[in-house]
Amino acid sequence: MLRSYDPPEKVLTIAKWNTREDWERFWENRNPEKMQKMREIAERISVEPFDEIEDRTK
């Protein structure tokens, strides 16, 4: 999770799935159970998929 400097109440969450199909299965349910805690503190305004080009954390 990343917090904006301005406005600080704006938060960006980045998640990683093994496959596009895994991501699609997760979001088949508009309000996935695993997002319950996030919904308690924030409102989701968008969901946008990206393809990973390279993982430099390894």
Side-chain angles (χ1 to χ4, degrees), residues 15 17 19-21 23-24 27 46-52:
W17 280 262
T19 67
R20 173 78 182 230
E21 290 77 21
W23 177 82
E24 288 171 350
W27 287 108
S46 68
V47 174
E48 183 176 357
F50 288 82
D51 285 325
E52 182 176 49

Side-chain angles (χ1 to χ4, degrees), residues 19-50:
T19 67
R20 173 78 182 230
E21 290 77 21
D22 290 343
W23 177 82
E24 288 171 350
R25 271 192 297 278
F26 180 82
W27 287 108
E28 281 176 359
N29 176 357
R30 301 273 311 151
N31 290 301
E33 178 75 26
K34 293 180 179 182
M35 298 297 289
Q36 180 67 37
K37 293 212 184 277
M38 292 288 289
R39 288 194 307 270
E40 291 173 7
I41 62 171
E43 175 186 356
R44 180 177 67 225
I45 58 172
S46 68
V47 174
E48 183 176 357
F50 288 82

